[in-house]
Amino acid sequence: MRKKELALEVIRRLKEAYPIAECTLDYDQAWKLLVSVRLAAQCTDARVNVVVEKLYEKYPDVNALADADPEDIEAIVHPCGLGKSKARDISACMRILRDKYDGKVPEDFDELLALPGVGRKSANLIMGDVFGRPAIVTDTHCIRLCNRIGLVDGIKEPKKVEMALWKIIPPEESNDFCHRLVMHGRDICTARTSPHCDRCCLADICKKRI
């Protein structure tokens, strides 16, 4: 089976297994997703969702967070780990949104990348979830599963995985596909334990299983 054919079959089966594909970070405004995705580095989405509740109670909008002392932000977000650098990035990012973008998150991919603490993974997540654009988010689940399944071959660098997937994943499927990989990676094709191949919907077409 060629990679494009394999990709389409993986997409079809994951759709059946996970009909609802959505981001597991809680947000109701674009800037909040920007904050959460920065906090999610080396931290679980579940913990981030708890921590940001306290953050937004104290700083309910972009202007309030932009005006906040980074040390005060750090005091709230430290349970997510890397508190100092995350607080610094969030503070700087919110100031740019306030001063340059009238408090709004830019819709341009390169402008997103220029924001403090925003890499390709974060920018793609914003583009896909907030603006409904084609997006491939190469987080650890995506990289692990795509290598195991055989959609990419021994590629671990996020940008290279992203570029390889753009060649075989239909753009209109890209965002939901990545969300479903996260779900599958947490439930079945796990990292810290042996993958549960016995109950995997991809077992018969997975390169690792074969």
Side-chain angles (χ1 to χ4, degrees):
M1 188 181 297
R2 293 183 178 181
K3 281 185 169 51
K4 278 191 177 181
E5 295 171 345
L6 177 61
L8 292 175
E9 182 61 16
V10 169
I11 289 168
R12 185 188 69 78
R13 295 189 187 192
L14 289 181
K15 276 185 177 181
E16 290 184 358
Y18 309 96
I20 299 175
E22 58 188 5
C23 180
T24 52
L25 290 168
D26 295 336
Y27 70 97
D28 56 8
Q29 297 178 65
W31 69 270
K32 290 183 178 180
L33 181 56
L34 203 55
V35 169
S36 290
V37 74
R38 179 65 186 99
L39 292 177
Q42 299 182 41
C43 181
T44 65
D45 289 0
R47 175 169 290 183
V48 170
N49 289 338
V50 172
V51 169
V52 293
E53 287 185 12
K54 298 178 181 178
L55 185 67
Y56 301 148
E57 282 177 12
K58 190 169 184 179
Y59 308 110
D61 54 41
V62 170
N63 289 339
L65 205 48
D67 291 336
D69 190 310
E71 291 184 358
D72 293 335
I73 298 174
E74 181 186 354
I76 298 174
V77 305
H78 74 89
C80 295
L82 305 173
K84 187 177 294 293
S85 63
K86 290 180 179 180
R88 183 180 63 242
D89 286 342
I90 289 169
S91 176
C93 187
M94 294 301 109
R95 290 198 301 271
I96 292 173
L97 293 189
R98 178 194 63 191
D99 299 339
K100 186 175 180 180
Y101 296 106
D102 194 28
K104 298 177 182 178
V105 175
E107 295 187 35
D108 180 82
F109 187 81
D110 291 330
E111 289 184 87
L112 284 171
L113 280 181
L115 295 173
V118 177
R120 295 189 68 85
K121 180 180 76 172
S122 302
N124 269 302
L125 183 64
I126 296 290
M127 293 299 288
D129 275 40
V130 174
F131 301 121
R133 311 280 179 78
I136 290 179
V137 180
T138 49
D139 63 2
T140 56
H141 293 292
C142 176
I143 294 170
R144 182 178 74 256
L145 269 64
C146 287
N147 274 281
R148 285 180 176 176
I149 295 167
L151 295 176
V152 300
D153 300 312
I155 306 174
K156 299 299 175 67
E157 185 181 326
K159 184 177 180 180
K160 289 183 179 179
V161 172
E162 180 191 337
M163 295 301 109
L165 291 178
W166 278 123
K167 296 177 181 178
I168 60 173
I169 303 295
E172 68 275 12
E173 299 285 359
S174 57
N175 194 43
D176 287 348
F177 169 69
C178 292
H179 285 319
R180 291 186 172 103
L181 286 181
V182 171
M183 297 175 187
H184 196 64
R186 288 174 177 164
D187 294 344
I188 305 295
C189 199
T190 50
R192 296 185 180 181
T193 64
S194 297
H196 305 288
C197 299
D198 57 313
R199 49 191 178 91
C200 177
C201 62
L202 307 173
D204 62 311
I205 57 172
C206 177
K207 179 181 177 182
K208 182 176 178 64
R209 178 65 181 262
I210 293 169

